[in-house]
Amino acid sequence: MRNLLYPFALFVLFVLTAPLTPPPLLAQEPETTAPVAPPDDPRRPQEPPGVDRSPNPLWLVLGAPLRLMDRWFYNWARNREEKCGSMAAGIGSSACAPGAVSFRFGSVGSKSTFFGLGFGVHANRADPSGFKAGFTTAATVRTYQEHTAYVGWNDPARRPYVRLTGFYDFDTRNEFFGLGPDSDEDDQSDYGMEQFGANLEVGVPPRFGIWGKGGARYQKDFLFSGWNESLTTTKDIFPDVPGVLDPQRELWGPFGEVVIDLTDAPGHPVAGVKVKARGALYRSVNDLDFNWYTYGGEVQGHLPLGSQWHVLSGMVGFDQAEPEESDDEIPFTYLPYLGGSRRLRGYDTWRFMDRAAAYGTVEYRYRIWHESYPDPDTAGAIETALFYDFGEVGDDLDEIRDEFDFGEKYSYGLEFRGYMREQFIFRTGIARGDEGTRFNFTFSDIY
């Protein structure tokens, strides 16, 4: 009983000592309601004048094809991505679907620097083994044409293969500045060339550390006056250069290439070394004294700077063309050259040409973006590269070695590139040399 009295006494004490009136509340503003002005009262806040966003009737008509094209491309790209597994595999490659039609934009072929469009159809593209056939066709705004058709066995990128390819090229604008390291930019001339032939090629794909290809070719060339009326015809400026005054050439010969590949990925290496060696023999079918052979090589290396997002890359190479006999000649269209989108990128294509050429480049590559996709072989990547190119031409490699000067023929610039892990897609950028600035856009890799 005593234990119950203690809580009861505490309760009574609390009631007696508590204040009889509640504490005062905080002061509050009296509630007021602002009068609402009528809608036509000038004191009423007015909405700011708006912009008429109703569609223009003319744009509804003229913009319809663009809107349809945008929707078609979006649906096509999304469908390709879902089928092939990643952004780059879906848009940058047609290897994921049999009989795929692939489109490519940009500079088409090695003898064109103008924008164009091409497409190809390939049978059984998805299966790496078995019978293969297909064709490609392309043209540029300057009427350059490139057409090929092929039949073979196995995919060259994934299986040992054999392939027979027929080709036809028609180039209406080629540039020639003369021979030797001291050729003058003001001596730019113009010629055209038509070429057709066939290549028989066998090879091993780039998947076994050492790989290569070999075969034989037949081709026929026709030279004609160029269509650029602002330039003088090549034969009028350089009549003594071998091959200028011979309008037709018929050639055949074997060729081969061997590669030792110690890089981490064939299409987009970020570490390792690769060594290439190549050679070819050209023999004249008719009675012209055009008999010669060529050989050359390249060494490239890639060194990650802390991670695969920062890479220091470099490449050096050479090409040499030599006549079989002392009285044989080499047509100028087959001589080694510097300039274009791969060697000395700050100069026009074929800017420097002679029997021998040596070249190199040093790059700092930074990966801007990498697709988060589980399969690294199909993940896309975009990178930028700061580069410095150098090179020289001469009658032979000994002359180049004796006369070489790093500061004489050079170019530097910036490029953006798109890759899959094992496939190059495109690159574009600007390059600066001592003859001006040049814009490059190509589907050919720098390496």
Side-chain angles (χ1 to χ4, degrees), residues 225-407:
S225 299
W227 289 6
N228 190 342
E229 297 180 356
S230 64
L231 297 177
T232 307
T233 303
T234 298
K235 67 178 182 179
D236 294 336
I237 301 181
F238 305 102
D240 298 328
V241 171
V244 169
L245 301 180
D246 300 290
Q248 178 178 319
R249 296 182 292 265
E250 193 172 3
L251 305 165
W252 73 275
F255 63 90
E257 181 181 24
V258 177
V259 180
I260 300 175
D261 190 354
L262 303 179
T263 58
D264 61 335
H268 186 207
V270 296
V273 178
K274 181 185 292 186
V275 181
K276 298 181 181 180
R278 53 182 174 263
L281 175 65
Y282 292 85
R283 303 298 298 271
S284 179
V285 175
N286 46 34
D287 296 332
L288 297 177
D289 294 328
F290 292 142
N291 303 292
W292 76 98
Y293 59 92
T294 65
Y295 58 92
E298 288 182 3
V299 178
Q300 62 175 266
H302 310 276
L303 178 65
L305 302 178
S307 72
Q308 295 184 351
W309 291 71
H310 304 267
V311 180
L312 181 64
S313 297
M315 176 184 66
V316 291
F318 75 94
D319 285 297
Q320 175 78 58
E322 295 186 5
E324 279 194 338
E325 306 292 343
S326 58
D327 56 347
D328 285 332
E329 294 182 330
I330 306 174
F332 74 99
T333 54
Y334 291 87
L335 291 173
Y337 68 90
L338 299 179
S341 61
R342 187 170 183 266
R343 306 171 180 177
L344 282 183
R345 284 165 274 184
Y347 294 85
D348 291 332
T349 310
W350 312 290
R351 176 60 186 89
F352 302 102
M353 187 178 294
D354 212 328
R355 289 189 175 183
Y359 54 91
T361 185
V362 178
E363 295 185 339
Y364 164 69
R365 297 160 47 193
Y366 170 67
R367 187 181 302 176
I368 302 175
W369 169 82
H370 190 89
E371 185 180 16
S372 298
Y373 189 70
D375 184 1
D377 291 343
T378 59
I382 296 177
E383 73 174 21
T384 183
L386 292 170
F387 64 85
Y388 179 86
D389 297 339
F390 54 91
E392 187 60 280
V393 298
D395 191 62
D396 54 41
L397 295 174
D398 291 336
E399 178 182 326
I400 294 177
R401 181 190 59 196
D402 296 338
E403 302 292 335
F404 186 78
D405 183 358
F406 273 99

Side-chain angles (χ1 to χ4, degrees), residues 188-237:
Q188 179 180 356
S189 63
D190 182 45
Y191 70 96
M193 185 170 67
E194 184 179 19
Q195 184 182 78
F196 67 87
N199 293 337
L200 177 62
E201 183 176 296
V202 296
V204 179
R207 288 181 175 271
F208 304 109
I210 180 169
W211 51 278
K213 61 184 179 180
R217 68 166 56 89
Y218 166 83
Q219 58 194 54
K220 201 169 185 177
D221 301 340
F222 301 89
L223 294 184
F224 53 88
S225 299
W227 289 6
N228 190 342
E229 297 180 356
S230 64
L231 297 177
T232 307
T233 303
T234 298
K235 67 178 182 179
D236 294 336
I237 301 181

